[in-house]
Amino acid sequence: MASISKSHLWKQCTVFKLDQNMRLENNVPPVTVGGISIPYSEWVIKVGDGNVESITMDDSSEPSLIEIPLELQMNSGDDGKKVIIDALYSELLSKHDEPDYFRDCAILTPINADVDIINTEVLKLSPGKCKVYRSYDSICKSSINYEAQENMYPVEFLNSLKFAGVPNHELQLKVGAPIVLLRNISPARDVSFTVSNNGLPA
């Protein structure tokens, strides 16, 4: 059986390798590492390749931390999230209606709870009246033992449940607030998920 990896067509192909991250070259100042100033893009590549000197924590047997250059640090104080939000969205009031502004200013976090907090705080900073949408928080009356289940699962408990990929009980929106649609709800009504030519949701 022929394998594509052994195909004779590969001899006619040219391999191109990306060696420059254009996004990191966009007006990003250099950083100081070990007393030496280097381009930010170079430092990011070193971090990704594991070539940055790491530090061992007191209770760890292997190095697990790296030192962040001073140019990239913020004085977080008591509320680190608020400091990041204020620094990143300092022009929110004047540019909230510009799609490119939110595209170029994004906060990434791996924890869903932090996502909810950040979204709520940024929405508070946005001008306009907030509209609140809530899910249907009742047990279906056609269920078996409806009354017993209603006592077992109070409304407050149902509203507190949070699942990955499922919206929370309460959704707050404002006119002009950016949203990302993750599923094709109704393509016929143009309510569908699309990706623009820059690789970002449109």
Side-chain angles (χ1 to χ4, degrees):
M1 182 176 179
S3 173
I4 191 171
S5 62
K6 301 295 183 180
S7 174
H8 65 279
L9 296 176
W10 289 115
K11 297 179 180 179
Q12 304 176 33
C13 297
T14 302
V15 178
F16 296 93
K17 295 183 178 180
L18 298 177
D19 55 8
Q20 184 177 7
N21 192 326
M22 299 300 295
R23 294 180 66 88
L24 296 180
E25 297 293 338
N26 187 19
N27 299 324
V28 180
V31 296
T32 304
V33 179
I36 302 175
S37 179
I38 63 174
Y40 171 71
S41 57
E42 181 179 332
W43 180 77
V44 170
I45 292 175
K46 287 185 176 181
V47 172
D49 293 340
N51 295 329
V52 175
E53 183 179 357
S54 54
I55 305 172
T56 303
M57 296 181 63
D58 296 336
D59 56 349
S60 177
S61 59
E62 296 183 1
S64 57
L65 298 177
I66 63 171
E67 183 177 355
I68 304 297
L70 291 176
E71 293 87 349
L72 304 178
Q73 296 182 21
M74 293 183 180
N75 184 13
S76 61
D78 296 330
D79 192 348
K81 297 184 186 68
K82 187 177 186 306
V83 172
I84 295 176
I85 292 172
D86 292 342
L88 195 60
Y89 295 107
S90 59
E91 300 178 294
L92 180 61
L93 290 178
S94 60
K95 296 186 177 181
H96 70 278
D97 56 348
E98 300 180 15
D100 290 346
Y101 178 69
F102 288 101
R103 184 193 65 184
D104 296 333
C105 298
I107 300 175
L108 303 180
T109 174
I111 303 176
N112 288 337
D114 289 339
V115 172
D116 295 337
I117 294 173
I118 293 172
N119 286 343
T120 301
E121 291 301 320
V122 173
L123 195 65
K124 289 179 181 178
L125 297 176
S126 303
K129 185 178 180 180
C130 184
K131 178 72 174 180
V132 180
Y133 299 87
R134 295 183 174 88
S135 65
Y136 190 76
D137 53 6
S138 299
I139 298 176
C140 180
K141 293 184 178 181
S142 62
S143 301
I144 301 176
N145 298 326
Y146 163 72
E147 294 184 357
Q149 291 186 18
E150 189 177 38
N151 294 329
M152 186 180 301
Y153 305 109
V155 173
E156 293 77 11
F157 171 73
L158 296 176
N159 294 347
S160 67
L161 296 177
K162 296 183 179 181
F163 305 97
V166 178
N168 295 337
H169 161 66
E170 187 175 281
L171 176 64
Q172 301 181 19
L173 293 176
K174 286 184 179 180
V175 175
I179 60 174
V180 178
L181 187 63
L182 300 180
R183 289 185 176 87
N184 293 331
I185 298 177
S186 178
R189 297 173 58 187
D190 200 24
V191 184
S192 58
F193 175 77
T194 58
V195 178
S196 61
N197 56 7
N198 56 16
L200 295 172

